[in-house]
PDB file of all heavy atoms in Angstrom:
ATOM      1  N   HIS N  15     -33.895  45.253  30.951  1.00  0.00           N
ATOM      2  CA  HIS N  15     -35.146  44.509  30.596  1.00  0.00           C
ATOM      3  C   HIS N  15     -35.453  44.708  29.110  1.00  0.00           C
ATOM      4  O   HIS N  15     -35.937  43.762  28.456  1.00  0.00           O
ATOM      5  CB  HIS N  15     -36.337  44.980  31.466  1.00  0.00           C
ATOM      6  CG  HIS N  15     -36.394  44.264  32.764  1.00  0.00           C
ATOM      7  ND1 HIS N  15     -35.632  44.570  33.856  1.00  0.00           N
ATOM      8  CD2 HIS N  15     -37.174  43.172  33.166  1.00  0.00           C
ATOM      9  CE1 HIS N  15     -35.889  43.781  34.850  1.00  0.00           C
ATOM     10  NE2 HIS N  15     -36.809  42.926  34.467  1.00  0.00           N
ATOM     11  N   GLU N  16     -35.228  45.900  28.574  1.00  0.00           N
ATOM     12  CA  GLU N  16     -35.425  46.085  27.154  1.00  0.00           C
ATOM     13  C   GLU N  16     -34.400  45.310  26.342  1.00  0.00           C
ATOM     14  O   GLU N  16     -34.743  44.696  25.314  1.00  0.00           O
ATOM     15  CB  GLU N  16     -35.387  47.570  26.767  1.00  0.00           C
ATOM     16  CG  GLU N  16     -35.701  47.811  25.272  1.00  0.00           C
ATOM     17  CD  GLU N  16     -35.828  49.245  24.897  1.00  0.00           C
ATOM     18  OE1 GLU N  16     -34.847  50.001  25.088  1.00  0.00           O
ATOM     19  OE2 GLU N  16     -36.919  49.656  24.447  1.00  0.00           O
ATOM     20  N   GLU N  17     -33.185  45.306  26.826  1.00  0.00           N
ATOM     21  CA  GLU N  17     -32.137  44.498  26.154  1.00  0.00           C
ATOM     22  C   GLU N  17     -32.531  43.026  26.118  1.00  0.00           C
ATOM     23  O   GLU N  17     -32.341  42.333  25.107  1.00  0.00           O
ATOM     24  CB  GLU N  17     -30.793  44.721  26.838  1.00  0.00           C
ATOM     25  CG  GLU N  17     -29.620  44.112  26.125  1.00  0.00           C
ATOM     26  CD  GLU N  17     -28.271  44.444  26.807  1.00  0.00           C
ATOM     27  OE1 GLU N  17     -28.242  45.356  27.640  1.00  0.00           O
ATOM     28  OE2 GLU N  17     -27.290  43.767  26.451  1.00  0.00           O
ATOM     29  N   ALA N  18     -33.070  42.511  27.251  1.00  0.00           N
ATOM     30  CA  ALA N  18     -33.474  41.132  27.296  1.00  0.00           C
ATOM     31  C   ALA N  18     -34.631  40.865  26.368  1.00  0.00           C
ATOM     32  O   ALA N  18     -34.718  39.821  25.712  1.00  0.00           O
ATOM     33  CB  ALA N  18     -33.864  40.764  28.744  1.00  0.00           C
ATOM     34  N   ALA N  19     -35.569  41.834  26.254  1.00  0.00           N
ATOM     35  CA  ALA N  19     -36.711  41.689  25.377  1.00  0.00           C
ATOM     36  C   ALA N  19     -36.239  41.601  23.912  1.00  0.00           C
ATOM     37  O   ALA N  19     -36.727  40.767  23.117  1.00  0.00           O
ATOM     38  CB  ALA N  19     -37.684  42.866  25.544  1.00  0.00           C
ATOM     39  N   TYR N  20     -35.290  42.443  23.538  1.00  0.00           N
ATOM     40  CA  TYR N  20     -34.769  42.412  22.172  1.00  0.00           C
ATOM     41  C   TYR N  20     -34.016  41.094  21.900  1.00  0.00           C
ATOM     42  O   TYR N  20     -34.164  40.534  20.813  1.00  0.00           O
ATOM     43  CB  TYR N  20     -33.799  43.569  21.946  1.00  0.00           C
ATOM     44  CG  TYR N  20     -34.460  44.923  21.807  1.00  0.00           C
ATOM     45  CD1 TYR N  20     -33.782  46.096  22.166  1.00  0.00           C
ATOM     46  CD2 TYR N  20     -35.762  45.061  21.325  1.00  0.00           C
ATOM     47  CE1 TYR N  20     -34.358  47.350  22.011  1.00  0.00           C
ATOM     48  CE2 TYR N  20     -36.380  46.279  21.198  1.00  0.00           C
ATOM     49  CZ  TYR N  20     -35.680  47.414  21.540  1.00  0.00           C
ATOM     50  OH  TYR N  20     -36.278  48.656  21.381  1.00  0.00           O
ATOM     51  N   LYS N  21     -33.323  40.583  22.901  1.00  0.00           N
ATOM     52  CA  LYS N  21     -32.602  39.347  22.693  1.00  0.00           C
ATOM     53  C   LYS N  21     -33.570  38.164  22.472  1.00  0.00           C
ATOM     54  O   LYS N  21     -33.271  37.289  21.659  1.00  0.00           O
ATOM     55  CB  LYS N  21     -31.704  39.068  23.909  1.00  0.00           C
ATOM     56  CG  LYS N  21     -30.831  37.809  23.748  1.00  0.00           C
ATOM     57  CD  LYS N  21     -29.875  37.610  24.896  1.00  0.00           C
ATOM     58  CE  LYS N  21     -29.015  36.383  24.682  1.00  0.00           C
ATOM     59  NZ  LYS N  21     -28.107  36.135  25.807  1.00  0.00           N
ATOM     60  N   TYR N  22     -34.706  38.207  23.164  1.00  0.00           N
ATOM     61  CA  TYR N  22     -35.656  37.089  23.051  1.00  0.00           C
ATOM     62  C   TYR N  22     -36.530  37.210  21.831  1.00  0.00           C
ATOM     63  O   TYR N  22     -36.725  36.248  21.088  1.00  0.00           O
ATOM     64  CB  TYR N  22     -36.509  36.999  24.315  1.00  0.00           C
ATOM     65  CG  TYR N  22     -37.408  35.795  24.347  1.00  0.00           C
ATOM     66  CD1 TYR N  22     -36.942  34.579  24.795  1.00  0.00           C
ATOM     67  CD2 TYR N  22     -38.760  35.890  23.900  1.00  0.00           C
ATOM     68  CE1 TYR N  22     -37.783  33.466  24.824  1.00  0.00           C
ATOM     69  CE2 TYR N  22     -39.576  34.772  23.910  1.00  0.00           C
ATOM     70  CZ  TYR N  22     -39.099  33.558  24.371  1.00  0.00           C
ATOM     71  OH  TYR N  22     -39.910  32.464  24.356  1.00  0.00           O
ATOM     72  N   PHE N  23     -37.086  38.394  21.606  1.00  0.00           N
ATOM     73  CA  PHE N  23     -38.090  38.570  20.525  1.00  0.00           C
ATOM     74  C   PHE N  23     -37.527  39.164  19.263  1.00  0.00           C
ATOM     75  O   PHE N  23     -38.179  39.107  18.207  1.00  0.00           O
ATOM     76  CB  PHE N  23     -39.204  39.527  21.033  1.00  0.00           C
ATOM     77  CG  PHE N  23     -40.059  38.980  22.140  1.00  0.00           C
ATOM     78  CD1 PHE N  23     -39.896  39.412  23.423  1.00  0.00           C
ATOM     79  CD2 PHE N  23     -41.045  38.042  21.867  1.00  0.00           C
ATOM     80  CE1 PHE N  23     -40.695  38.901  24.476  1.00  0.00           C
ATOM     81  CE2 PHE N  23     -41.863  37.555  22.877  1.00  0.00           C
ATOM     82  CZ  PHE N  23     -41.673  37.970  24.162  1.00  0.00           C
ATOM     83  N   GLY N  24     -36.302  39.740  19.314  1.00  0.00           N
ATOM     84  CA  GLY N  24     -35.803  40.516  18.182  1.00  0.00           C
ATOM     85  C   GLY N  24     -36.214  41.986  18.358  1.00  0.00           C
ATOM     86  O   GLY N  24     -37.024  42.287  19.253  1.00  0.00           O
ATOM     87  N   GLU N  25     -35.710  42.867  17.565  1.00  0.00           N
ATOM     88  CA  GLU N  25     -35.926  44.309  17.760  1.00  0.00           C
ATOM     89  C   GLU N  25     -37.215  44.833  17.115  1.00  0.00           C
ATOM     90  O   GLU N  25     -37.558  46.029  17.285  1.00  0.00           O
ATOM     91  CB  GLU N  25     -34.720  45.090  17.262  1.00  0.00           C
ATOM     92  CG  GLU N  25     -33.481  44.799  18.074  1.00  0.00           C
ATOM     93  CD  GLU N  25     -32.358  45.759  17.831  1.00  0.00           C
ATOM     94  OE1 GLU N  25     -32.584  46.829  17.237  1.00  0.00           O
ATOM     95  OE2 GLU N  25     -31.231  45.489  18.290  1.00  0.00           O
ATOM     96  N   ASP N  26     -37.936  43.979  16.389  1.00  0.00           N
ATOM     97  CA  ASP N  26     -39.208  44.392  15.781  1.00  0.00           C
ATOM     98  C   ASP N  26     -40.355  44.266  16.742  1.00  0.00           C
ATOM     99  O   ASP N  26     -41.347  43.583  16.473  1.00  0.00           O
ATOM    100  CB  ASP N  26     -39.449  43.589  14.499  1.00  0.00           C
ATOM    101  CG  ASP N  26     -40.633  44.161  13.701  1.00  0.00           C
ATOM    102  OD1 ASP N  26     -40.941  45.368  13.871  1.00  0.00           O
ATOM    103  OD2 ASP N  26     -41.248  43.404  12.939  1.00  0.00           O
ATOM    104  N   ILE N  27     -40.232  44.899  17.920  1.00  0.00           N
ATOM    105  CA  ILE N  27     -41.265  44.862  18.936  1.00  0.00           C
ATOM    106  C   ILE N  27     -41.471  46.274  19.482  1.00  0.00           C
ATOM    107  O   ILE N  27     -40.651  47.169  19.257  1.00  0.00           O
ATOM    108  CB  ILE N  27     -40.887  43.939  20.113  1.00  0.00           C
ATOM    109  CG1 ILE N  27     -39.586  44.400  20.791  1.00  0.00           C
ATOM    110  CG2 ILE N  27     -40.776  42.472  19.629  1.00  0.00           C
ATOM    111  CD1 ILE N  27     -39.219  43.624  22.024  1.00  0.00           C
ATOM    112  N   GLU N  28     -42.557  46.435  20.189  1.00  0.00           N
ATOM    113  CA  GLU N  28     -42.808  47.710  20.913  1.00  0.00           C
ATOM    114  C   GLU N  28     -42.702  47.421  22.390  1.00  0.00           C
ATOM    115  O   GLU N  28     -43.430  46.656  22.949  1.00  0.00           O
ATOM    116  CB  GLU N  28     -44.197  48.231  20.599  1.00  0.00           C
ATOM    117  CG  GLU N  28     -44.523  49.537  21.323  1.00  0.00           C
ATOM    118  CD  GLU N  28     -45.945  50.014  21.110  1.00  0.00           C
ATOM    119  OE1 GLU N  28     -46.619  49.501  20.168  1.00  0.00           O
ATOM    120  OE2 GLU N  28     -46.410  50.906  21.884  1.00  0.00           O
ATOM    121  N   THR N  29     -41.703  48.077  23.028  1.00  0.00           N
ATOM    122  CA  THR N  29     -41.551  47.916  24.470  1.00  0.00           C
ATOM    123  C   THR N  29     -42.340  48.995  25.191  1.00  0.00           C
ATOM    124  O   THR N  29     -42.368  50.164  24.739  1.00  0.00           O
ATOM    125  CB  THR N  29     -40.078  47.968  24.876  1.00  0.00           C
ATOM    126  OG1 THR N  29     -39.476  49.177  24.377  1.00  0.00           O
ATOM    127  CG2 THR N  29     -39.304  46.767  24.373  1.00  0.00           C
ATOM    128  N   VAL N  30     -42.970  48.627  26.282  1.00  0.00           N
ATOM    129  CA  VAL N  30     -43.804  49.555  27.073  1.00  0.00           C
ATOM    130  C   VAL N  30     -43.167  49.731  28.436  1.00  0.00           C
ATOM    131  O   VAL N  30     -43.045  48.786  29.204  1.00  0.00           O
ATOM    132  CB  VAL N  30     -45.229  48.990  27.221  1.00  0.00           C
ATOM    133  CG1 VAL N  30     -46.102  49.950  28.009  1.00  0.00           C
ATOM    134  CG2 VAL N  30     -45.853  48.696  25.848  1.00  0.00           C
ATOM    135  N   GLU N  31     -42.720  50.970  28.722  1.00  0.00           N
ATOM    136  CA  GLU N  31     -42.070  51.285  29.966  1.00  0.00           C
ATOM    137  C   GLU N  31     -43.035  51.196  31.140  1.00  0.00           C
ATOM    138  O   GLU N  31     -44.171  51.678  31.068  1.00  0.00           O
ATOM    139  CB  GLU N  31     -41.480  52.691  29.881  1.00  0.00           C
ATOM    140  CG  GLU N  31     -40.472  52.896  28.779  1.00  0.00           C
ATOM    141  CD  GLU N  31     -40.045  54.354  28.686  1.00  0.00           C
ATOM    142  OE1 GLU N  31     -40.768  55.225  29.164  1.00  0.00           O
ATOM    143  OE2 GLU N  31     -38.958  54.605  28.130  1.00  0.00           O
ATOM    144  N   CYS N  32     -42.565  50.624  32.251  1.00  0.00           N
ATOM    145  CA  CYS N  32     -43.379  50.543  33.497  1.00  0.00           C
ATOM    146  C   CYS N  32     -42.462  50.912  34.679  1.00  0.00           C
ATOM    147  O   CYS N  32     -41.279  50.532  34.721  1.00  0.00           O
ATOM    148  CB  CYS N  32     -43.942  49.143  33.691  1.00  0.00           C
ATOM    149  SG  CYS N  32     -45.074  48.624  32.398  1.00  0.00           S
ATOM    150  N   GLU N  33     -43.050  51.575  35.638  1.00  0.00           N
ATOM    151  CA  GLU N  33     -42.237  52.010  36.791  1.00  0.00           C
ATOM    152  C   GLU N  33     -42.059  50.904  37.831  1.00  0.00           C
ATOM    153  O   GLU N  33     -41.250  51.052  38.736  1.00  0.00           O
ATOM    154  CB  GLU N  33     -42.898  53.233  37.471  1.00  0.00           C
ATOM    155  CG  GLU N  33     -44.217  52.960  38.133  1.00  0.00           C
ATOM    156  CD  GLU N  33     -45.396  53.107  37.222  1.00  0.00           C
ATOM    157  OE1 GLU N  33     -45.196  53.182  35.986  1.00  0.00           O
ATOM    158  OE2 GLU N  33     -46.558  53.192  37.748  1.00  0.00           O
ATOM    159  N   SER N  34     -42.764  49.816  37.695  1.00  0.00           N
ATOM    160  CA  SER N  34     -42.664  48.716  38.673  1.00  0.00           C
ATOM    161  C   SER N  34     -43.002  47.406  37.976  1.00  0.00           C
ATOM    162  O   SER N  34     -43.650  47.342  36.926  1.00  0.00           O
ATOM    163  CB  SER N  34     -43.634  48.924  39.837  1.00  0.00           C
ATOM    164  OG  SER N  34     -44.976  48.799  39.412  1.00  0.00           O
ATOM    165  N   PHE N  35     -42.575  46.293  38.594  1.00  0.00           N
ATOM    166  CA  PHE N  35     -42.910  44.994  38.086  1.00  0.00           C
ATOM    167  C   PHE N  35     -44.404  44.694  38.180  1.00  0.00           C
ATOM    168  O   PHE N  35     -45.020  44.066  37.323  1.00  0.00           O
ATOM    169  CB  PHE N  35     -42.116  43.893  38.802  1.00  0.00           C
ATOM    170  CG  PHE N  35     -40.668  43.876  38.471  1.00  0.00           C
ATOM    171  CD1 PHE N  35     -39.696  44.231  39.373  1.00  0.00           C
ATOM    172  CD2 PHE N  35     -40.253  43.437  37.231  1.00  0.00           C
ATOM    173  CE1 PHE N  35     -38.380  44.217  39.066  1.00  0.00           C
ATOM    174  CE2 PHE N  35     -38.909  43.414  36.867  1.00  0.00           C
ATOM    175  CZ  PHE N  35     -37.973  43.785  37.814  1.00  0.00           C
ATOM    176  N   LYS N  36     -45.029  45.233  39.245  1.00  0.00           N
ATOM    177  CA  LYS N  36     -46.465  45.054  39.405  1.00  0.00           C
ATOM    178  C   LYS N  36     -47.219  45.682  38.254  1.00  0.00           C
ATOM    179  O   LYS N  36     -48.200  45.148  37.748  1.00  0.00           O
ATOM    180  CB  LYS N  36     -46.931  45.639  40.753  1.00  0.00           C
ATOM    181  CG  LYS N  36     -48.436  45.420  41.024  1.00  0.00           C
ATOM    182  CD  LYS N  36     -48.788  45.959  42.408  1.00  0.00           C
ATOM    183  CE  LYS N  36     -50.294  45.822  42.657  1.00  0.00           C
ATOM    184  NZ  LYS N  36     -50.762  44.436  42.647  1.00  0.00           N
ATOM    185  N   LYS N  37     -46.720  46.870  37.803  1.00  0.00           N
ATOM    186  CA  LYS N  37     -47.386  47.554  36.692  1.00  0.00           C
ATOM    187  C   LYS N  37     -47.296  46.715  35.399  1.00  0.00           C
ATOM    188  O   LYS N  37     -48.267  46.676  34.614  1.00  0.00           O
ATOM    189  CB  LYS N  37     -46.720  48.924  36.476  1.00  0.00           C
ATOM    190  CG  LYS N  37     -47.378  49.756  35.327  1.00  0.00           C
ATOM    191  CD  LYS N  37     -48.823  50.115  35.659  1.00  0.00           C
ATOM    192  CE  LYS N  37     -49.464  50.910  34.515  1.00  0.00           C
ATOM    193  NZ  LYS N  37     -48.814  52.245  34.350  1.00  0.00           N
ATOM    194  N   THR N  38     -46.168  46.031  35.193  1.00  0.00           N
ATOM    195  CA  THR N  38     -46.064  45.191  33.985  1.00  0.00           C
ATOM    196  C   THR N  38     -47.166  44.105  34.047  1.00  0.00           C
ATOM    197  O   THR N  38     -47.766  43.811  33.010  1.00  0.00           O
ATOM    198  CB  THR N  38     -44.693  44.517  33.891  1.00  0.00           C
ATOM    199  OG1 THR N  38     -44.490  43.603  34.961  1.00  0.00           O
ATOM    200  CG2 THR N  38     -43.569  45.552  33.898  1.00  0.00           C
TER     201      THR N  38
END
Side-chain angles (χ1 to χ4, degrees):
H15 275 80
E16 184 172 61
E17 188 175 344
Y20 287 153
K21 184 175 180 181
Y22 186 85
F23 293 104
E25 296 194 11
D26 189 24
I27 60 174
E28 179 184 345
T29 54
V30 181
E31 301 174 339
C32 297
E33 67 272 13
S34 67
F35 287 111
K36 183 177 177 62
K37 182 63 181 295
T38 67

